[in-house]
Amino acid sequence: SPKGIARHNRRGEDDIPGRVGEYFGRITFIYRAIDSGMVSLPDVTSGRVTLAEIAEVNHYLDMKSDIEYYANEKAMKKTQKGGRH
């Protein structure tokens, strides 16, 4: 298929660049914890890390993201007003 044109995947769903499939969308929170480096794929696949622990990691990552976002927003507002960062 030409670039940017939807293709059908094995499940018959459109495979659109930038859009996650239904299955991957359901397990993204697991890969987010792995991608952060807080857990490893072998620990997840072996069961050494529980889903509850992965959920806790995701809550922590959400909190960290919120803090960084608000800190950046505050710095941007201060910069726009001509203040020092």
Side-chain angles (χ1 to χ4, degrees):
S1 297
K3 187 175 182 179
I5 303 297
R7 296 178 299 276
H8 293 292
N9 61 23
R10 286 183 229 148
R11 295 183 192 101
E13 302 165 330
D14 286 340
D15 186 15
I16 299 172
R19 187 181 117 205
V20 295
E22 183 183 335
Y23 171 74
F24 188 74
R26 290 192 308 250
I27 62 168
T28 302
F29 76 103
I30 296 171
Y31 287 105
R32 183 175 181 224
I34 293 168
D35 187 51
S36 75
M38 296 185 72
V39 299
S40 70
L41 181 59
D43 285 341
V44 171
T45 56
S46 70
R48 286 185 294 237
V49 177
T50 66
L51 286 176
E53 291 168 325
I54 292 171
E56 290 174 5
V57 167
N58 274 277
H59 290 306
Y60 169 76
L61 293 171
D62 289 342
M63 179 190 70
K64 183 178 172 188
S65 176
D66 288 346
I67 291 168
E68 291 170 354
Y69 174 82
Y70 289 113
N72 287 335
E73 285 291 308
K74 186 176 180 181
M76 289 295 292
K77 286 179 183 177
K78 195 172 194 178
T79 301
Q80 289 172 354
K81 290 181 181 179
R84 298 168 65 172
H85 13 140

